[in-house]
Each structure stands twice: as structure tokens, then as C-alpha cells.
Amino acid sequence: MSAEVSHRAKVWMGVAAIPIILYTLLPIGWILSLSLKTGASVNDRHFIPNHWTWASYKYIFTGGAHDLFVPALINSIGICLIATFISVILSAFCAYGIARLDFPGKKLVLNAALLTAFFPSISVVTPLYNLWRSIGLYNTWPGLIIPYLSLTLPLSIWTMTAFFRQIPWEMEQAAQVDGATSWQAFRKVVFPLAAPGVFTTAIIAFFNAWNDFVFAEGLSSTPGKAGHFNGAQTVPAVLSTFQGPSQFIPPTGYIAAAAVIVTIPVVILVLIFQKRIVAGLTAGAVKG
């Protein structure tokens, strides 16, 4: 039984949502304002800058912070994309097995994945730091990709399991009756039908890796140089080390400019694919 929302209720819901939206956008607007202020006016209380300038953006891309920010941005993009790809592939096989097979400990696997998602990252950084230093993975791409899988896999498994459960078992059986093997049925029937879930899982996994600070700060030391792989520090960790051109110029504007740059891809993805993200989080919540 479905209930329709009246026009008046929709209007009041829209009016009530306006202050919430403004409150949510206020920090983003303030960061953008700081990134466009001059060094002398960065500490004033004006929300809208009196004098607009792109100096902070020029400083991080072509100025003194170029060798720090650009390699870190490349590291963030490369490491997060690789971690997302591996996470999606592994979680697809795991979720398919959980959704289709009956085996002892199935619920234990899902509960263990959920427990891993709630496990605090800071508690494993020190042991990983000592281990990574011993085996040569410290400040390397694999040294961050492997821990990032612990951030992306649990939620990926849960999300994709819900999508695989929604795919009728009869479609896969029909493909096998027509002569397809189990692998062919998965690859040509099940996986394409679960494409929206796979896409949603990839977005969520990418966000988790993109926003990480703990692993990036504890398991890397330098961002390296653009085009080289002799460093792995990502943007969130690099922002904590930003310094101004001199001790008399605070790095507030430069940090704000870098924060705006790394936020833009996330905002664009959320605005474009917000329906798929919500669908992925709520898949399997309602039967029928």
C-alpha cells in the first residue's frame, strides 16, 4: 500500500530542507572563499572576499607547492583507482558466492566483513608501519593499496551481495540449460544484470579510499615526484604538511585551494550518480 504525499506537504518539506542545505553548504562555501582571498585578508571575517585572486591555486599547481601537491594528487588518483578496481573484482566473487551458495559460516563471513568495517584504522597503523618498513612496502603504492582494501572491501561485499540476491536464480539456470558453464552464466548473465550495483560499489569504494588520512599519514612519508613512483603520500596527508612561502604568510589559503581541488571530483560524482548510490545502499532492504 503506497501513500501519496500531498502538494502542501511537499512544499513544507522543501522549505524545511532549505536551512539544512544552507547549513551543509556553509563549510564548503567558506573553504572556497578562503581559497580566493589574498594572504593579507585570509584572516578577516568577510564571507565574500573583498579582492578575488587565484594566487593560491597558482601556488599549488605552478608555484612553490607544485612539487608537493601535484605528485600527491597523482598518487591519490592512481592508488584509489587501483584499490577500487581490486575491491570491486574481489567483492563481486565473494558476494556472488554468498548470494548463490549455501555453505556453513555464510552469515559469519558477512558479519566478519561488517565487523572489519567498524574496526578502527588507527589501531593497525603501528603494526603495519613496522611490518611495511621491514619488507620494503613503506611509502609505496602497494603499501597503501593493500590497507585500502580493508576500507573498501567490507562495504563492497555487503552492497554487491544485496544486488546479486535481487537477480532471479532462474535466469542463471536458463543460461546453463542452454549450454553455458557456471563461469559463462556469471560473466554474461549475472554480472551485466548487476552492473548498477557494481557501479555503485565502485563509487562508494573510491570515496572511502579517496578520503583516507590515517593510512596515508602513517604508511607514507613523501609524495615523491610527478611521473615517478618513489613516494606514495596522498593529498589528505600532504595537506597537513603545507607551509606558506614564508613564516609571515599562513598557508590557510593554499590548504583551502587544495581542499577545493580534491573535493570537486567527489561533488561531481555525487551529483551525477546520487540515485545509484542511494539505490546501492538500500538494495535488498525491501522484499516484494
Side-chain angles (χ1 to χ4, degrees):
M1 180 177 181
S2 61
E4 296 184 358
V5 181
S6 64
H7 177 70
R8 179 178 297 180
K10 291 181 179 179
V11 172
W12 280 109
M13 290 173 62
V15 173
I18 292 177
I20 299 176
I21 295 174
L22 293 176
Y23 178 78
T24 305
L25 294 178
L26 180 61
I28 299 177
W30 182 250
I31 293 175
L32 180 61
S33 174
L34 288 176
S35 68
L36 296 174
K37 289 183 177 182
T38 61
S41 62
V42 74
N43 291 325
D44 62 28
R45 298 183 179 181
H46 296 95
F47 186 84
I48 299 178
N50 294 325
H51 301 285
W52 299 70
T53 178
W54 297 99
S56 296
Y57 293 93
K58 293 180 181 178
Y59 181 77
I60 63 175
F61 279 111
T62 60
H66 170 271
D67 294 335
L68 191 65
F69 178 75
V70 175
L73 185 60
I74 295 175
N75 289 341
S76 290
I77 296 174
I79 292 173
C80 294
L81 287 178
I82 295 174
T84 300
F85 177 78
I86 296 175
S87 177
V88 169
I89 297 298
L90 295 180
S91 61
F93 289 118
C94 182
Y96 177 77
I98 293 174
R100 287 289 188 257
L101 304 177
D102 289 326
F103 57 89
K106 181 197 296 190
K107 292 184 178 180
L108 180 62
V109 174
L110 280 175
N111 293 333
L114 185 62
L115 180 63
T116 304
F118 286 107
F119 202 76
S121 303
I122 191 66
S123 60
V124 298
V125 169
T126 300
L128 279 179
Y129 171 82
N130 295 328
L131 178 61
W132 270 202
R133 296 277 292 187
S134 302
I135 63 178
L137 288 179
Y138 179 75
N139 201 34
T140 63
W141 280 32
L144 281 182
I145 292 173
I146 295 173
Y148 279 0
L149 293 179
S150 66
L151 297 176
T152 58
L153 270 176
L155 188 57
S156 299
I157 292 173
W158 271 83
T159 304
M160 295 193 69
T161 299
F163 270 93
F164 282 131
R165 284 174 174 170
Q166 290 183 333
I167 299 175
W169 174 250
E170 290 76 12
M171 299 186 66
E172 189 173 353
Q173 289 178 324
Q176 293 177 350
V177 169
D178 291 337
T181 63
S182 298
W183 167 246
Q184 289 174 334
F186 171 78
R187 182 167 54 90
K188 296 182 178 181
V189 178
V190 178
F191 197 79
L193 290 175
V198 174
F199 191 80
T200 302
T201 301
I203 294 176
I204 298 174
F206 181 81
F207 287 170
N208 287 338
W210 184 263
N211 294 325
D212 171 72
F213 172 79
V214 177
F215 285 130
E217 175 67 18
L219 302 178
S220 62
S221 58
T222 60
K225 296 181 179 180
H228 298 79
F229 301 100
N230 58 344
Q233 203 167 47
T234 57
V235 173
V238 164
L239 290 183
S240 64
T241 64
F242 257 30
Q243 297 179 355
S246 68
Q247 60 180 342
F248 303 104
I249 301 178
T252 307
Y254 311 125
I255 295 175
V260 170
I261 295 299
V262 298
T263 303
I264 289 175
V266 176
V267 173
I268 292 176
L269 287 176
V270 169
L271 292 178
I272 295 176
F273 305 113
Q274 57 180 329
K275 291 184 179 180
R276 297 198 176 199
I277 295 175
V278 174
L281 292 175
T282 58
V286 179
K287 293 183 179 181

